[in-house]
Amino acid sequence: MKNPYRSVGELADTLDAAGYLADPALATAVFLALSLERPLFLEGQPGVGKTALAGVMSQLLNRPLVRLQCYYGIDLKSAAYDWNYARQMVHIRLAETLTPAGARPEDVERDVYSRDYLAPRPLLTALTMNPAPVLLIDEVDRADEAFEALLLEFLGEFQMTIPEVGTFRAEEIPLAVLTSNRTRDVHDALRRRCLYAWVDFPDPDRERAILARRCPALGDDLLDGVVKAVAVLRDMPLAKRPGLAESLDWAQALARLGAERLTPELVERTLGLIVKYYDDLDLLRRSDRWRLLLERMGRGGHG
Amino acid sequence: MDDDARVLVDNLGVLMRGLRRAHFPLGTADLKDALKALQCVNLADPVEVEAALAALWCRDWPSRQVFRAAFEQWVMLLLRQSPDVVGLRTYLAEVASRRRDASKMGGVSWFPQPADGELANETVSFGVGATRDEVWRYRPLDRLSDDELHQLLTWYRPRRPLQGWARLYDAKPTGRRLNLGETMRRGREGSEWVRMYFDRPRLEPLRVTLLLDLSGSTQHYHRPLLQFLHAMMRHERALEVYGFSTRLTRLTPALRLTSVDRALAEVAALAPHRGGGTRIGDSLKDLWERERGRGIGGRSTLVVISDGFDEESEDLDRWLSRWAGYLHGRVHWWHPGPSDPRQSRIASVRTLAKHTRVWRIFTLNALGKAWEALQQGESASPEPFGIMEERNEHLMKEGQDSGT
Ligand SMILES: Nc1ncnc2c1ncn2[C@@H]1O[C@H](COP(=O)(O)OP(=O)(O)O)[C@@H](O)[C@H]1O
Ligand SMILES: [Mg+2]
């Protein structure tokens, strides 16, 4: 699809206005994906805003969002297309009854395997839609290698071959966004067809801005406390480091509780929102750095 | 192609050559892509240029890190008016060295893949999420399965076998005190140049004797600790291990067996009645009377691994002070379990703490620290993540002061 933005800056500003604060590198990658009409491969920790980016882009470009959520064992039938078996059966029965001499089997078969009986799934939908949508292929790392191979033709040429029918080619190239949480390494062949962007945790300033934007009710003190605590947590060897999604949840919960400042007791009570594994909690309990942070937090109230 | 474009292509070529050295699979098609991309972005903004090229040429997180460094150096090179050959060479070499560093940290699988492929999907890179190895190293020992610990220990090695200074001296060209006799003797032959010889104390394997508490109260730690000691036994040269609950048993021969499973079985056979009361004092007495000069000598370091619960603390006090005197204070106490012995009010615990250097060893990481501290004059390296396993000695004193 044609790139409606004149510069990276303009795109960044539009994203900003829509409530998504992207760092310049990410904005550049999106801009290039639009200009060069190449798929965009986003990699990063869970909860840093990969999925959200696709949503925002579809909103900004005013195109529908076609979403394919990957899972282990996803295949052609659920990702690309399937045959509408019920309608095929009806057609065959009708052909039997309506044609007195009995229909020729080849004809029936040709009729039954035609576009009319195709049940499109997200990938095919994205190809045939006009105007082109934003296609989100979420969490590619969860699918298996067979599925990656299936994506290769699609992402390389934006076309799909269905043996019985022929080749579908996109009239307008959709904006394809692939995301991965890096639970598994995605094959190089797939990466080669995409533009790559690593989405990092936002730096404290941007995080603060995002939180302030999302929960306007939050006071400055609380905001600072949350950003600081989350930054410390991300620096520790946790099995699951808290992403933006977690810090947003936390901030919202704190706002809901009507807190004005972070206190150690409050943190203790709501820690489950950001740290979600027993091992991690355990590690925090034994960590000096965390204890110091809490102590300082507690002292801040008296002094 | 106008001149500006040609210069751009040349310069991009330099960047590409550097990156190729860092194992980026880049070809002519990639150069074409890059030129197309650079037409879309603002060339005056280095952030945009970097991001655009990275989006095209990087494939994963480690390569993204390498790219950032390479790009910075490339810009530095361009800022010099005429990039000369030397500059170019330096640039290429530096990029290549980045790659070496990066490959050390990024994208590696830390564990050998087991046959059943259980770990096959678990490649987590350094600096992104904690690796399994990190998670395990900070997990309490009693919550590690045998298998996890085994995997950890196959990779875990202290820097080198423990060493200590011997009483013997060698004559060496460098050292503390001039060895006149040796200098003269060796100076007799040779030219008019006199080479000085000095006395330098010899390094010898550090002799460490461990007393492992096999009583019921430390039950959860027996297996992991024995597994650890078994691994260390193959690493060290002068290690002796004794187990004690109600009586003292020498475990060294059992732990020398190559197979962990056989070693553990052998230990179980040698010290059958685990559980029952602990007699640390009695064991120290036995050690003094039976093993002094054999399993432990005046130059050894003694390590007591126990939770410190004992019935009679007078006996304990006497024997501990005797050992501490004999070994010049080289008596360590390793405390397994998460509780802090500083806070204890139990008499035997306080007695132990009075005569020993206290370490808590509830994770493999802490255990490694305690191990390295056995070496004389060696202080533990600073803790990267601020988890408590510092030497408790001075804190222990504070605790006693405030307690009494
Ligand atoms: N840069 C950002 N600006 C505003 N909100 C963000 C940003 N990044 C992430 N978010 C918010 O964080 C949450 C988690 O993002 P999500 O896309 O689900 O993460 P991921 O797909 O990477 O796991 C979403 O609610 C999203 O709106
Ligand atoms: Mg997501």
Side-chain angles (χ1 to χ4, degrees):
Chain A
M1 79 184 66
K2 219 173 136 285
N3 185 353
Y5 305 102
R6 260 166 297 135
S7 69
V8 178
E10 189 188 334
L11 173 60
D13 291 344
T14 328
L15 278 172
D16 198 319
Y20 189 94
L21 281 71
D23 72 4
L26 184 59
T28 311
V30 177
F31 184 82
L32 279 185
L34 283 169
S35 301
L36 304 180
E37 305 200 311
R38 300 239 321 235
L40 179 62
F41 186 79
L42 299 178
E43 220 175 18
Q45 300 270 296
V48 290
K50 303 183 294 295
T51 310
L53 178 66
V56 172
M57 281 317 291
S58 98
Q59 191 189 322
L60 288 184
L61 296 167
N62 202 10
R63 303 288 176 112
L65 178 71
V66 175
R67 177 170 180 164
L68 174 62
Q69 173 70 50
C70 297
Y71 53 87
Y72 190 80
I74 189 172
D75 59 357
L76 196 69
K77 273 187 183 169
S78 39
Y81 65 90
D82 199 356
W83 294 102
N84 191 336
Y85 296 112
R87 280 193 60 201
Q88 282 176 329
M89 286 309 294
V90 171
H91 179 89
I92 293 169
R93 298 303 281 275
L94 283 178
E96 277 170 358
T97 46
L98 292 186
T99 331
R104 285 175 48 215
E106 309 89 83
D107 288 347
V108 176
E109 190 180 332
R110 202 183 49 237
D111 288 349
V112 156
Y113 285 108
S114 66
R115 286 185 188 221
D116 295 343
Y117 297 94
L118 215 50
R121 301 280 183 253
L123 292 184
L124 190 59
T125 312
L127 278 188
T128 48
M129 243 184 189
N130 204 354
V134 172
L135 171 65
L136 168 64
I137 305 179
D138 210 5
E139 310 193 353
V140 186
D141 52 333
R142 293 228 246 147
D144 43 16
E145 267 111 27
F147 179 69
E148 273 177 40
L150 195 145
L151 281 180
L152 291 184
E153 184 196 3
F154 180 85
L155 292 176
E157 272 93 59
F158 281 103
Q159 68 175 30
M160 187 186 295
T161 308
I162 299 175
E164 296 89 347
V165 181
T167 301
F168 288 80
R169 181 165 289 122
E171 279 169 41
E172 193 188 7
I173 307 276
L175 172 64
V177 178
L178 287 78
T179 77
S180 156
N181 289 340
R182 293 223 326 168
T183 53
R184 174 175 75 81
D185 216 9
V186 174
H187 197 274
D188 226 29
L190 186 62
R191 293 171 183 270
R192 208 162 36 236
R193 284 163 175 75
C194 305
L195 294 177
Y196 176 83
W198 170 258
V199 190
D200 217 340
F201 292 126
D203 50 34
D205 287 343
R206 176 134 13 90
E207 174 139 30
R208 199 173 185 288
I210 295 171
L211 291 185
R213 187 80 66 89
R214 284 300 187 80
C215 343
L218 229 52
D220 272 358
D221 284 344
L222 197 52
L223 218 51
D224 282 339
V226 169
V227 170
K228 212 172 282 169
V230 169
V232 168
L233 285 175
R234 285 190 192 141
D235 214 24
M236 291 209 262
L238 300 183
K240 164 78 181 76
R241 294 177 187 183
L244 201 54
E246 278 79 19
S247 58
L248 265 172
D249 279 353
W250 197 32
Q252 264 151 9
L254 290 174
R256 192 71 55 81
L257 286 177
E260 305 207 320
R261 250 177 12 83
L262 266 187
T263 57
E265 300 81 53
L266 198 58
V267 173
E268 201 56 47
R269 262 199 296 156
T270 51
L271 199 57
L273 285 167
I274 29 172
V275 179
K276 302 194 171 163
Y277 285 87
Y278 178 73
D279 278 349
D280 287 352
L281 282 176
D282 201 43
L283 191 123
L284 279 191
R285 232 166 264 140
R286 289 182 285 110
S287 147
D288 269 353
R289 185 146 167 224
W290 183 247
R291 191 171 44 79
L292 281 178
L293 183 86
L294 289 186
E295 271 172 18
R296 209 168 303 141
M297 215 179 263
R299 244 181 288 131
H302 305 302
Chain B
M1 203 192 286
D2 59 27
D3 268 0
D4 274 358
R6 188 159 304 126
V7 172
L8 181 64
V9 171
D10 281 352
N11 284 336
L12 273 181
V14 172
L15 178 63
M16 275 179 88
R17 271 171 67 193
L19 290 171
R20 275 202 211 115
R21 289 224 178 168
H23 303 229
F24 277 63
L26 298 177
T28 340
D30 294 296
L31 183 59
K32 275 190 201 142
D33 280 349
L35 289 173
K36 230 187 287 169
L38 289 183
Q39 280 164 13
C40 308
V41 302
N42 177 8
L43 282 179
D45 184 354
V47 177
E48 268 181 40
V49 174
E50 199 251 5
L53 292 178
L56 283 167
W57 290 350
C58 293
R59 302 274 154 76
D60 50 14
W61 182 77
S63 68
R64 184 74 183 79
Q65 308 302 101
V66 175
F67 183 86
R68 183 164 297 142
F71 187 84
E72 253 167 43
Q73 276 159 22
W74 180 63
V75 171
M76 299 289 276
L77 187 71
L78 293 188
L79 287 181
R80 291 202 223 160
Q81 284 306 314
S82 58
D84 48 323
V85 179
V86 179
L88 185 62
R89 285 277 156 72
T90 321
Y91 163 72
L92 294 178
E94 291 221 347
V95 173
S97 77
R98 290 291 171 154
R99 175 65 192 193
R100 278 201 294 280
D101 288 350
S103 65
K104 235 183 278 164
M105 45 184 248
V108 286
S109 164
W110 297 88
F111 291 104
Q113 306 282 307
D116 56 22
E118 177 214 335
L119 288 174
N121 293 339
E122 292 278 354
T123 334
V124 185
S125 291
F126 183 86
V128 180
T131 55
R132 299 187 95 165
D133 156 276
E134 262 182 292
V135 172
W136 288 346
R137 275 192 330 143
Y138 287 98
R139 185 183 290 179
L141 283 177
D142 57 339
R143 286 210 280 108
L144 282 173
S145 73
D146 281 1
D147 215 37
E148 287 165 352
L149 192 63
H150 179 70
Q151 286 199 34
L152 267 180
L153 289 175
T154 43
W155 287 91
Y156 173 80
R157 284 282 171 276
R159 266 168 287 163
R160 64 169 97 89
L162 298 175
Q163 287 182 323
W165 299 113
R167 287 219 187 94
L168 297 176
Y169 289 88
D170 278 340
K172 286 279 160 69
T174 60
R176 284 194 207 146
R177 201 177 43 193
L178 182 65
N179 184 337
L180 207 55
E182 193 67 19
T183 308
M184 303 281 280
R185 207 171 308 124
R186 300 217 189 170
R188 275 210 301 254
E189 57 241 35
S191 64
E192 65 265 38
W193 290 103
V194 178
R195 171 169 245 190
M196 312 268 248
Y197 280 87
F198 298 87
D199 283 337
R200 199 166 68 182
R202 237 181 240 175
L203 278 172
E204 64 179 11
L206 195 69
R207 304 185 50 177
V208 180
T209 304
L210 293 115
L211 270 186
L212 179 60
D213 183 350
L214 289 180
S215 69
S217 51
T218 51
Q219 213 170 14
H220 301 307
Y221 295 92
H222 295 165
R223 271 184 88 84
L225 283 173
L226 284 168
Q227 250 176 299
F228 176 78
L229 291 177
H230 175 262
M232 287 303 108
M233 192 63 93
R234 310 184 56 188
H235 184 65
E236 298 292 337
R237 280 169 294 171
L239 202 61
E240 285 284 341
V241 181
Y242 293 87
F244 71 91
S245 55
T246 41
R247 68 192 170 83
L248 191 71
T249 324
R250 181 156 176 262
L251 301 179
T252 315
L255 290 174
R256 285 250 168 81
L257 294 172
T258 319
S259 144
V260 197
D261 295 328
R262 281 195 55 211
L264 288 176
E266 190 72 17
V267 169
L270 278 178
H273 40 257
R274 301 183 187 181
T278 330
R279 302 259 166 72
I280 309 179
D282 277 359
S283 313
L284 288 172
K285 175 167 162 261
D286 281 354
L287 194 69
W288 182 270
E289 286 167 357
R290 283 195 350 231
E291 303 290 340
R292 195 157 44 93
R294 287 202 294 163
I296 183 165
R299 305 187 56 74
S300 298
T301 302
L302 178 65
V303 181
V304 182
I305 310 179
S306 167
D307 53 4
F309 296 156
D310 196 356
E311 285 100 69
E312 326 102 51
S313 65
E314 285 94 70
D315 227 21
L316 182 64
D317 190 48
R318 204 169 77 240
W319 285 106
L320 262 179
S321 59
R322 186 174 283 190
W323 271 116
Y326 178 59
L327 298 177
H328 300 282
R330 287 191 305 274
V331 183
H332 293 231
W333 174 27
W334 291 0
H335 179 82
S339 74
D340 190 344
R342 274 181 270 159
Q343 256 109 53
S344 179
R345 291 269 170 278
I346 296 165
S348 60
V349 174
R350 298 183 140 256
T351 314
L352 254 174
K354 195 168 78 192
H355 295 287
T356 56
R357 303 166 163 214
V358 187
W359 293 84
R360 288 200 292 159
I361 49 157
F362 52 95
T363 63
L364 186 70
N365 197 48
L367 195 52
K369 292 264 157 60
W371 187 264
E372 282 184 5
L374 289 176
Q375 195 147 352
Q376 296 156 338
E378 258 250 350
S379 59
S381 54
E383 170 58 45
F385 298 112
I387 291 172
M388 281 197 284
E389 42 235 2
E390 74 281 312
R391 255 185 61 182
N392 293 333
E393 208 173 40
H394 56 287
L395 294 169
M396 182 67 85
K397 296 231 175 68
E398 274 169 28
Q400 277 167 353
D401 292 347
S402 62
T404 47

